[in-house]
Amino acid sequence: MLIAEECGQVRGKAVLDFKQRRDAAWLWLVSVDPAHRGKGVGTALIWAAETQALAREHHIIELAVDDVNPRARALYERLGYRPVGPYVDMVRYIDDEGNRVCRDEPGVLLRRHLK
Ligand SMILES: CC(C)(COP(=O)(O)OP(=O)(O)OC[C@H]1O[C@@H](n2cnc3c(N)ncnc32)[C@H](O)[C@@H]1OP(=O)(O)O)[C@@H](O)C(=O)NCCC(=O)NCCS
C-alpha cells in the first residue's frame, strides 16, 4: 500500500498488487482526499507505484478504470497508460445502511510498459 502524506496528514493512497496478475503489477484503489485533489497527489502516487514496480522488476503496470470515471482515465492516459481492452469491475460492498450492493461497472483495462 502506498500512502501520500503531507505534514503528517494522509492525503491519498493506492494499492500495488504483485499477485493479482501473472505478468503485470496491478494498481488499484487509487484515491485522494477530495479536499486535496487536482494538486498532483494522484500523479505522485502513480509515480511511486511505478518506482516500486521497477524495484521488484515488474515492467508492466495494469489498472482498470470505470467508464463513469473519465477524469481519472484522462489522468492515467496523460501518464502513459493505454487502453488494451474492456474490463468489468465487479462492485461488491455493504453500504452505510447495511445493504449489500452488487453491481457490474463496465470500464477499460489500461496498461503501461515501464522503461
Ligand atoms: C482520480 C484521482 C486519484 C486523481 O487524484 P488527483 O490528486 O486529483 O490527481 P492529480 O492532481 O495528480 O491530477 C489531476 C488530474 O486527475 C484527474 N482527476 C480525476 N478526478 C479528479 C477530481 N475530482 N479533481 C481533480 N482532478 C481529477 C484529472 O485528469 C486531472 O487532470 P486535470 O487537472 O488536467 O483535469 C482523484 O481524483 C480521486 O481520488 N478520485 C476518486 C477515486 C477515483 O476515482 N480513483 C480512481 C479509480 S480508477
Side-chain angles (χ1 to χ4, degrees):
M1 173 169 268
L2 300 154
I3 303 286
E5 255 187 30
E6 184 184 45
C7 305
Q9 302 290 312
V10 173
R11 301 298 193 218
K13 55 120 184 88
V15 173
L16 189 64
D17 188 332
F18 295 100
K19 296 198 171 145
Q20 181 88 8
R21 319 282 287 183
R22 202 146 45 107
D23 53 358
W26 180 247
L27 182 62
W28 64 309
L29 300 176
V30 181
S31 80
V32 172
D33 178 341
H36 294 276
R37 288 179 190 167
K39 298 178 187 172
V41 177
T43 300
L45 282 164
I46 295 162
W47 286 346
E50 292 175 353
T51 301
Q52 290 299 319
L54 284 173
R56 287 168 172 77
E57 305 208 340
H58 277 71
H59 290 261
I60 300 173
I61 291 186
E62 290 183 344
L63 59 90
V65 63
D66 297 342
D67 289 343
V68 292
N69 203 351
R71 293 193 69 186
R73 178 170 173 175
L75 169 62
Y76 295 129
E77 294 206 26
R78 195 174 67 214
L79 294 175
Y81 290 77
R82 296 290 170 253
V84 290
Y87 186 92
V88 177
D89 194 10
M90 290 184 285
V91 179
R92 309 281 185 268
Y93 65 95
I94 295 176
D95 70 14
D96 292 344
E97 282 79 46
N99 303 309
R100 195 177 292 273
V101 178
C102 260
R103 68 169 187 275
D104 292 342
E105 287 284 357
V108 66
L109 180 68
L110 300 177
R111 180 182 297 154
R112 178 162 190 229
H113 291 261
L114 308 172
K115 304 216 165 66

